[in-house]
Amino acid sequence: MTAVDDLVSEATTDRTPRRIFRDHVARERIEKLAHLRDVLARSPLALIAGYSFKTNPRSELVKLARKHGFFAETISHDELEWAKHEGFKPEETIYNGPEPLLDRAEGQRLAYAFADSVEAFERNVQRG
């Protein structure tokens, strides 16, 4: 079956533009990325792959990313909450946002928090 064959029935039954989620394609791509991550992460390299919630927060994709060991890469408080809702632990979450990181509950340290200024870095250090 080709990509076109796969889409014909979906595309002819609804108006455009329309988003069509192709589960098998998503699964294959995430699996390939996870395999590539694993190959590149062999000693002496350490490699962490993060799934960007900003790029596509769709629940099916987030679940696939988590299943294959990706970290949640978030840029806002809402995305941090979505990651938590989808089962990512704080230590499996990367915060890479322009908003200042809000205080976290005791013991809920994120895996990584990036800062785009000295002030943001100092805030993150103070928050542990």
Side-chain angles (χ1 to χ4, degrees):
M1 176 182 286
T2 69
V4 174
D5 295 331
D6 189 32
L7 296 175
V8 169
S9 63
E10 296 259 4
T12 58
T13 60
D14 214 345
R15 298 182 340 177
T16 59
R18 180 165 187 253
R19 292 179 187 202
I20 300 171
F21 180 71
R22 298 172 61 213
D23 184 66
H24 67 282
V25 173
R27 203 172 41 256
E28 289 171 8
R29 289 184 180 174
I30 295 272
E31 286 171 0
K32 285 181 183 178
L33 287 171
H35 175 71
L36 180 60
R37 175 208 55 216
D38 295 344
V39 168
L40 294 173
R42 292 187 181 147
S43 186
L45 297 177
L47 179 70
I48 294 171
Y51 180 81
S52 170
F53 276 52
K54 177 183 178 187
T55 301
N56 195 334
R58 189 178 180 124
S59 186
E60 297 95 336
L61 293 172
V62 170
K63 282 179 173 57
L64 281 170
R66 195 175 114 254
K67 175 184 173 187
H68 289 284
F70 286 78
F71 278 38
E73 192 266 329
T74 63
I75 65 163
S76 69
H77 178 72
D78 289 343
E79 288 184 2
L80 283 170
E81 290 301 312
W82 183 242
K84 181 180 176 182
H85 175 268
E86 290 295 321
F88 286 89
K89 298 174 186 166
E91 60 270 17
E92 299 169 334
T93 304
I94 300 165
Y95 182 78
N96 189 21
E99 301 174 7
L101 186 59
L102 300 175
D103 288 332
R104 314 267 310 150
E106 187 67 32
Q108 286 195 346
R109 297 178 63 157
L110 299 175
Y112 299 96
F114 293 93
D116 60 359
S117 68
V118 172
E119 294 80 13
F121 178 76
E122 287 174 345
R123 278 192 309 270
N124 288 346
V125 169
Q126 290 170 355
R127 290 186 168 115

